[in-house]
Amino acid sequence: MTKLRISIVQYLNTAPLVWGFTNGPLQGKYDLSFTVPSECAEDLRAGRADVAIIPAIEYQRIPGLAILPDMAIASKHQVRSLLIVAKKPIEQVKTFALDSSSRSTQVLTRILCAEKWRIAPEFSEAVPDLPEMLDNADAALIIGDPALRISLGIAKDGWPGAPGQTVCQAATLGFTGSELLYVSDVVGEWRRLTQLPAVLAVWALGRELAAPELTADFLASRDFGLAHLGEISYEAAQDLELPEQALEAYLRDNIDFSLDAENRRGLELYFEHAAKLGLIGKAKAIQWAPAKSAAVKL
Ligand SMILES: C=C(O[C@@H]1C=C(C(=O)O)C=C[C@H]1O)C(=O)O
């Protein structure tokens, strides 16, 4: 039998979800590939993958999908790896470069601009290179490990600005075209707007493939990952050349790997806002893949 193909986000935040597949008892069972979130969605849409972790908004844009229950890349209060970096206070921003690896957070950013900051900047997409983005726009959205690296840098050298913002010298982030940069955490801003968490990514697959045994493998892989956060952080610290303790704190405190009731409410409200702004059609209800009644422990 050929192995199911799984398309996986290459950032650290997804490592716990797949640790059972990459470093645990389910190693070798599936055919794994790693890329940025926007490409994971394209892999599923184009049939290059059978299962993918997709930006949550893409569930609304790709027909015929089911979502695996109880798991996600979500964040309750502050995420640290989804950042808006602006050359001026956010209310004055007129041009905005959006990380082309992102789909979910691009939409969150547009919602925040329209409904929180009441600005209507001109948006463009760009590869995640902060100095280049800020050479061409007043503000930039950057996601994933490159954003986490920025967060860890400004934790040392920045200072608090307006509520939820950090201000730093532009030079701290390797940018010379302005004196100060204003950094906002996208989940922090979303939480202040809605009092709810943000769900960034979900496991999705074609409905015909959804089966309790498959859901059970993904849940078991996630639980195996959560039991090995120390090991995951140790390995990531070597790869990313970032401090192990800070990476472990990020995985424990900033990322939430569940789809609990509060996260599901956050996700539904997000779909409603996106539909209201015309970024998706009318939001469709979530079709869940079936699960076994009791979790399996690896
Ligand atoms: C928390 C994050 O969430 C990611 C953000 C995504 C998006 O903006 O489309 C998609 C997948 C997630 O892995 C992150 O990458 O830092």
Side-chain angles (χ1 to χ4, degrees):
M1 217 176 77
T2 56
K3 295 178 183 178
L4 286 184
R5 299 157 302 164
I6 308 180
S7 179
I8 301 164
V9 168
Q10 66 194 18
Y11 306 141
L12 168 62
N13 58 53
T14 308
L17 291 182
V18 294
W19 205 247
F21 300 144
T22 55
N23 294 64
L26 296 171
Q27 214 173 345
K29 183 163 179 186
Y30 297 102
D31 179 357
L32 312 179
S33 61
F34 294 81
T35 185
V36 294
S38 51
E39 285 305 312
C40 290
E42 289 316 307
D43 284 346
L44 192 62
R45 194 192 314 265
R48 290 187 297 266
D50 302 300
V51 189
I53 184 135
I54 59 167
I57 199 71
E58 294 298 304
Y59 174 74
Q60 295 290 344
R61 294 172 171 161
I62 304 174
L65 297 183
I67 293 182
L68 301 186
D70 295 341
M71 293 167 280
I73 298 295
S75 177
K76 296 279 189 191
H77 294 275
Q78 201 198 7
V79 64
R80 303 188 75 200
S81 58
L82 305 171
L83 296 183
I84 290 168
V85 183
K87 291 190 286 190
K88 32 178 98 162
I90 195 83
E91 291 76 12
Q92 297 169 26
V93 163
K94 299 248 180 325
T95 50
F96 217 126
L98 301 173
D99 188 333
S100 54
S101 309
S102 166
R103 289 291 171 263
S104 291
T105 318
Q106 285 196 3
V107 168
L108 273 175
T109 301
R110 287 173 185 264
I111 294 170
L112 291 169
C113 285
E115 303 195 4
K116 186 161 196 298
W117 301 313
R118 312 257 170 215
I119 54 172
E122 190 186 312
F123 293 102
S124 58
E125 266 201 347
V127 293
D129 175 329
L130 189 65
E132 200 175 303
M133 288 164 120
L134 290 180
D135 272 341
N136 298 317
D138 297 334
L141 164 69
I142 195 154
I143 73 163
D145 297 339
L148 181 59
R149 190 178 295 280
I150 292 173
S151 273
L152 297 180
I154 59 171
K156 281 205 308 283
D157 298 320
W159 59 93
Q165 272 183 10
T166 307
V167 184
C168 69
Q169 299 287 350
T172 304
L173 301 184
F175 181 69
T176 48
S178 109
E179 299 225 316
L180 295 178
L181 295 176
Y182 302 81
V183 184
S184 310
D185 185 292
V186 173
V187 173
E189 298 292 341
W190 168 257
R191 180 95 204 186
R192 265 187 293 281
L193 178 70
T194 62
Q195 280 75 55
L196 285 171
V199 175
L200 291 321
V202 291
W203 282 120
L205 75 175
R207 281 178 200 160
E208 67 292 348
L209 281 178
E213 295 70 29
L214 190 66
T215 304
D217 274 1
F218 280 77
L219 283 168
S221 176
R222 189 270 315 262
D223 291 345
F224 184 80
L226 291 180
H228 292 85
L229 290 183
E231 190 182 313
I232 295 171
S233 309
Y234 174 81
E235 287 203 5
Q238 322 298 312
D239 286 354
L240 298 171
E241 299 184 350
L242 289 171
E244 181 185 339
Q245 276 180 353
L247 298 184
E248 188 166 345
Y250 164 70
L251 292 176
R252 279 190 201 287
D253 305 335
N254 300 113
I255 302 294
D256 184 74
F257 297 95
S258 79
L259 252 180
D260 63 11
E262 191 197 26
N263 287 356
R264 291 197 302 272
R265 281 206 306 281
L267 182 59
E268 274 159 25
L269 186 68
Y270 167 65
F271 287 153
E272 281 169 30
H273 278 282
K276 192 173 134 203
L277 291 181
L279 300 168
I280 54 172
K282 187 177 176 322
K284 59 187 178 196
I286 294 176
Q287 170 107 25
W288 299 103
K292 290 185 177 170
S293 43
V296 179
K297 196 166 179 338
L298 291 177

